[in-house]
Amino acid sequence: QVTLVALPLTAVLVLHVNAEQLGLLRTVEWLPYIPFPLLLGVWVDRWRRRPLMIGANIARAFLIGLIPLLAVVHLLQLPPLYIIAFCTGVCTVWFDLCWQSFVPSMVPKKDLIEANSKLGASTAAAEVGGPGIAGVLVQVLTAPIALCVDSLSFLLSVLSLLLICTPEPSVARTNHVHWLKEIAEGVRFTFRNPYIRTLTLQAAAWNFFFAILDTIFLLYALRELGFSPSLLGLIYAMGAVGGLLGSALATLLMKRFHLGVVICATFTLGSVPFLLLSLTMGPRSIVLGVCVIVFFLVRTALGIYTVVSISLRQAVTPHGMMGRVGAGTRVLTYGATTLGALISGFLGEIVGLRSSLLVAGCGFIVALLPIFFSPIVRLRTIPIDS
């Protein structure tokens, strides 16, 4: 979470990048989600997941630690920053495929929502402190040095993974099947299952427009609204508080409402408020308040939605295909993120920052459509027997 703020701030405050260069940096961060998930998904299904997660986080600790080192010796430039961002993205793909495949092997399907709710709350708790800490560290120590904190946090993650004592179930090996056939099998399942297909298309559309908004908002807040890095960190931190609240509410809401209703309502609340970022004008205090409220509402809704949607995908996916199905969804959803990040820079240069935020805000309305025309709307609960 520190890196999500400190890395782009390093580019903006230290290297003085423009919108196009920042958009390219965000593109490079997400680019590994296009070629690598399908190949890594096969590995995840062939090997135990915990050792793979440990290796990914050791690599991320090393890569992120290179940035402050390069800054200290005055060798930090955009090209090495692009390379580090890309390699870190590869490790992030690796880790994400593993953890979402690891959880269903540790708990029964009936407990998936509760398990993912607790994991979501854990992540949101880190998001509460991470951006705020990043903003303060950037202001006090400079952006590159702030990344030292994140490098150390990955080593702590490795330690926590080593402390898991529950044995991981053995993985059925299919060495006689070519890896291309395994990839094709996972992709076919992803797009033939109506629930996973809908969630994937909807996430791709949402991610595309969020990549535009997230990149442009950083520049808009710093350069047009005059927010300091600490205020920017406060906005993200308050959004994370909403994420923490949403993750905690997911299990409770599923006891009171049908799953389809929860998914549709929370995804709507996690999209529409972004329109206010470009439409709000007036004193800086008012604009700051609106930004805080928007990120809080969106993240609260998405905290609930993420827990429920991940649980649904895990419940309808066979154990031996978790990695490949997760990979198939990520290629499309994060491929859309990469494209959005790339377009954001050119859009910001052509139409301006505020207009770019308006375009992204309207785009979120489009992202709502797939889910309302799908069988998910009629789901009452997690399909345990699938």
Side-chain angles (χ1 to χ4, degrees), residues 4 11 14 43 50 97 104 120 124 149 162 167 178 182 200 208 218 238 248 285 293 300 305 325 349 356 377:
L4 289 179
V14 178
W43 284 12
R50 190 175 69 137
L97 289 174
V149 175
L162 290 171
H178 194 276
E182 293 188 63
T200 301
F208 173 79
L218 182 67
M238 290 306 297
S285 59
I293 292 172
T300 299
Y305 171 83
V325 170
E349 291 290 325
S356 297
V377 177

Side-chain angles (χ1 to χ4, degrees), residues 176-189:
H176 61 284
V177 178
H178 194 276
W179 61 273
L180 283 175
K181 292 184 178 180
E182 293 188 63
I183 289 176
E185 184 183 16
V187 171
R188 281 196 301 270
F189 184 89

Side-chain angles (χ1 to χ4, degrees), residues 127-152:
E127 291 174 350
V128 170
I133 291 172
V136 173
L137 289 175
V138 168
Q139 200 152 324
V140 174
L141 301 176
T142 74
I145 304 303
L147 290 168
C148 286
V149 175
D150 204 46
S151 179
L152 292 174

Side-chain angles (χ1 to χ4, degrees), residues 351-374:
V351 305
L353 301 180
R354 180 187 288 272
S355 297
S356 297
L357 288 178
L358 179 60
V359 170
C362 294
F364 284 109
I365 307 302
V366 177
L368 289 172
L369 297 179
I371 212 160
F372 283 99
F373 294 94
S374 75

Side-chain angles (χ1 to χ4, degrees), residues 292-360:
V292 169
I293 292 172
V294 166
F295 276 84
F296 178 81
L297 288 176
V298 167
R299 292 300 303 277
T300 299
L302 291 181
I304 301 168
Y305 171 83
T306 301
V307 168
V308 178
S309 61
I310 288 177
S311 300
L312 174 59
R313 179 166 62 82
Q314 290 170 337
V316 299
T317 303
H319 175 70
M321 296 179 65
M322 288 285 182
R324 284 168 288 162
V325 170
T329 61
R330 278 166 174 75
V331 167
L332 186 57
T333 58
Y334 288 101
T337 301
T338 304
L339 182 59
L342 181 62
I343 290 175
S344 66
F346 296 105
L347 189 64
E349 291 290 325
I350 294 171
V351 305
L353 301 180
R354 180 187 288 272
S355 297
S356 297
L357 288 178
L358 179 60
V359 170

